[in-house]
Amino acid sequence: MGTVRTLVLVNGRRLQPGGLSNAPDINQIPASLVERAEVITGGASATYGADAVAGVVNFVMKDDFEGIEISAGISGYQHNNSNDYIQGLMDAKNFEYPDGSSGIDGVAYNVDVTMGGEFADGNGHATVYATWRKVKEFLQADRDYSSCALSAAGTSCGGSGNAEIPNFYLGAPDDMDFARRWTLDPSSNFVDGASNVYNYAPVNHFMRPDERWTFGAFIDYEINEHARPYMEVSFMRDRTDAQIAESGTFFAEQYDLPYESGLLNDAQRQFLTDTYGIGPGEQFGVYIGKRNVEGGPRANLISHNAFRIVTGVEGSITDNWSYDASFQYGSTTFVSNYVNDFFAPNIREALENVEYDVFQYQGVTPEQAGGLTGVAVLEGITKEYIANAYVTGDLGLTVPSAEDSVQAVIGIESVSYTHLRAHETPEHLVCRLLLEKKKKTTLTARIK
């Protein structure tokens, strides 16, 4: 069931979704102010609904912090690259890898500031906080044990057929030859490409760069025993960039090109004639496996902002009964920019216009590669509105053999979600706009 069905509360009140799913992001909770965490592993759906099928986690915050506290930290990782087994597998494939000490990398910095105190002659209390955390990246290339993609059995370094020097499946348009894979030698001749693979592992992030800011406050003020207004407010901004191995053509589709295409040299045309019987005035079919090393890695640039505010009032009704009524609003905006990925229509157009020298050994230039990529954008905002009220008290009844009298809680909660999502691609400015609304009202009565 996972995080989507695990309800997260702060001081007994819901934490809003952390992105485009219903799963909350607990990074916006200030760790320095957590007094305790209460966990219910099951059975909470009767009170909270389907959101709590997997359980409930309630973070109870300190409400009596006094003074000022500043904490700062720095951490990192060090590894001795001396894994003889993995290094031997990479030697067999002539793959590069690091050797010796990595030094200190993956460095993370954090600063937390917390202040609190009473005001209005002790009738009120306020706590404010701010945090900053920054993590530096390091790549799989920085560790010998992650510098190659292992085979399923773990006995050899594998790789991708979408290689720096491209691989091809060739043939007549209606009779493709998938039994043999071809690549290029330094003279741009077609040669056997069965062993031509690309080690895509080193380029990927082992640890992504990340920077996060949070700030917020907890305030309460006692007017009298019957009314104690309170407010909670928090904000978080987070940015992280994920680097992924270079894009490629990935043998995704068949291209039918003329025998006389300016992308081919005379020796390659003769090869098509000798091997597949294709001649002047005819077309040949090709599936291409070319890694975009000239254009650089793909990246997913992710950022989101989260805001939450709770305002309410609690107090005593009588000596035995009390109440709590609150309203809260939370919103999270999410933006994901996926950049430097090949866009299929651009590849076909470049081949037809003789602008992608994929048949020449190391013939593709960064300028050619730059014209083949696109950007995909996913944006969304999630909003949550919650109205909550309950009364709790002593019924004045006792049960034989029981030490305490019977207690009761009666409450009502209304929860409303709004999800708005926009998806942008190079082909369509906005290809889909999705608006989803959910609302539920829960009436709860509990006696114990």
Side-chain angles (χ1 to χ4, degrees):
M1 289 178 281
T3 57
V4 175
R5 295 304 181 188
T6 300
L7 184 64
V8 177
L9 308 176
V10 177
N11 288 335
R13 303 175 188 91
R14 295 173 184 257
L15 188 65
Q16 85 272 19
L20 297 182
S21 73
N22 285 333
D25 185 355
I26 63 173
N27 286 312
Q28 66 187 94
I29 300 174
S32 60
L33 286 174
V34 175
E35 184 174 277
R36 67 182 185 275
E38 302 170 339
V39 179
I40 301 175
T41 57
S45 58
T47 301
Y48 296 104
D51 294 343
V53 170
V56 179
V57 180
N58 180 30
F59 293 92
V60 179
M61 313 305 291
K62 298 175 183 177
D63 59 4
D64 57 355
F65 185 89
E66 298 284 339
I68 180 171
E69 178 182 276
I70 302 175
S71 63
I74 182 172
S75 62
Y77 300 89
Q78 185 275 334
H79 174 70
N80 291 322
N81 292 297
S82 56
N83 191 317
D84 293 337
Y85 176 73
I86 296 294
Q87 292 183 6
L89 298 182
M90 286 186 282
D91 285 337
K93 290 292 186 73
N94 293 319
F95 287 167
E96 296 181 358
Y97 55 84
D99 195 19
S101 175
S102 67
I104 303 299
D105 53 17
V107 178
Y109 310 89
N110 70 278
V111 178
D112 299 357
V113 180
T114 307
M115 296 184 293
E118 296 181 343
F119 63 91
D121 297 325
N123 291 323
H125 187 277
T127 303
V128 296
Y129 68 89
T131 72
W132 170 75
R133 180 175 183 267
K134 185 172 184 177
V135 178
K136 291 188 175 181
E137 69 176 351
F138 73 94
L139 304 176
Q140 289 184 217
D142 298 322
R143 298 290 186 269
D144 54 359
Y145 58 80
S146 60
S147 288
C148 84
L150 287 173
S151 64
T155 56
S156 66
C157 284
S160 169
N162 289 271
E164 180 177 1
I165 306 303
N167 288 308
F168 310 95
Y169 291 107
L170 299 167
D174 57 353
D175 186 21
M176 293 297 299
D177 176 15
F178 294 107
R180 292 175 291 182
R181 192 173 77 188
W182 307 99
T183 188
L184 302 174
D185 67 11
S187 298
S188 297
N189 296 310
F190 288 123
V191 295
D192 181 73
S195 62
N196 180 35
V197 295
Y198 177 70
N199 183 20
Y200 55 84
V203 183
N204 293 281
H205 270 141
F206 211 139
M207 178 179 288
R208 300 184 312 195
D210 181 86
E211 186 170 24
R212 183 173 69 240
W213 297 84
T214 70
F215 61 85
F218 299 88
I219 305 170
D220 62 78
Y221 177 76
E222 184 175 2
I223 299 175
N224 53 51
E225 63 177 325
H226 303 296
R228 187 173 72 91
Y230 58 84
M231 183 174 70
E232 302 173 5
V233 61
S234 63
F235 176 80
M236 179 186 73
R237 175 173 176 80
D238 180 77
R239 167 67 185 263
T240 183
D241 299 339
Q243 180 169 292
I244 309 163
E246 301 93 341
S247 185
T249 54
F250 297 111
F251 304 105
E253 57 183 306
Q254 178 176 319
Y255 306 105
D256 295 334
L257 302 176
Y259 180 86
E260 293 82 3
S261 171
L263 297 173
L264 300 178
N265 58 38
D266 291 338
Q268 291 170 336
R269 294 189 185 93
Q270 188 62 48
F271 175 88
L272 293 175
T273 300
D274 295 341
T275 308
Y276 298 109
I278 301 170
E282 297 180 320
Q283 289 187 320
F284 70 97
V286 59
Y287 284 83
I288 303 172
K290 172 71 175 83
R291 184 69 60 163
N292 185 30
V293 293
E294 297 81 11
R298 289 166 286 179
N300 193 7
L301 315 179
I302 304 171
S303 65
H304 70 281
N305 300 323
F307 174 73
R308 177 178 182 266
I309 184 170
V310 180
T311 181
V313 59
E314 62 181 3
S316 299
I317 302 173
T318 67
D319 290 341
N320 296 325
W321 285 85
S322 63
Y323 74 95
D324 189 321
S326 64
F327 174 81
Q328 79 177 65
Y329 167 78
S331 71
T332 302
T333 58
F334 173 91
V335 179
S336 173
N337 294 297
Y338 198 84
V339 302
N340 214 31
D341 204 359
F342 269 171
F343 185 50
N346 290 354
I347 299 172
R348 179 174 293 277
E349 182 179 349
L351 290 171
E352 292 173 350
N353 294 332
V354 196
E355 296 173 349
Y356 189 33
D357 286 323
V358 71
F359 294 102
Q360 304 306 310
Y361 184 84
Q362 296 183 341
V364 177
T365 66
E367 291 74 20
Q368 290 178 354
L372 304 179
T373 60
V375 176
V377 179
L378 176 63
E379 298 185 34
I381 182 169
T382 301
K383 298 181 180 181
E384 179 184 67
Y385 306 84
I386 301 176
N388 178 290
Y390 68 87
V391 294
T392 182
D394 190 334
L395 293 178
L397 304 174
T398 59
V399 177
S401 75
E403 296 181 1
D404 300 320
S405 58
V406 178
Q407 307 287 315
V409 179
I410 302 172
I412 186 171
E413 182 180 64
S414 176
V415 182
S416 177
Y417 297 97
T418 300
H419 299 273
L420 182 64
R421 177 185 302 179
H423 185 197
E424 180 179 329
T425 67
E427 190 173 26
H428 304 284
L429 179 60
V430 177
C431 70
R432 183 64 63 188
L433 189 65
L434 174 64
L435 178 62
E436 180 182 5
K437 294 184 178 180
K438 296 180 180 179
K439 184 175 182 179
K440 65 178 180 180
T441 301
T442 305
L443 179 64
T444 302
R446 178 173 296 180
I447 299 175
K448 66 176 183 177

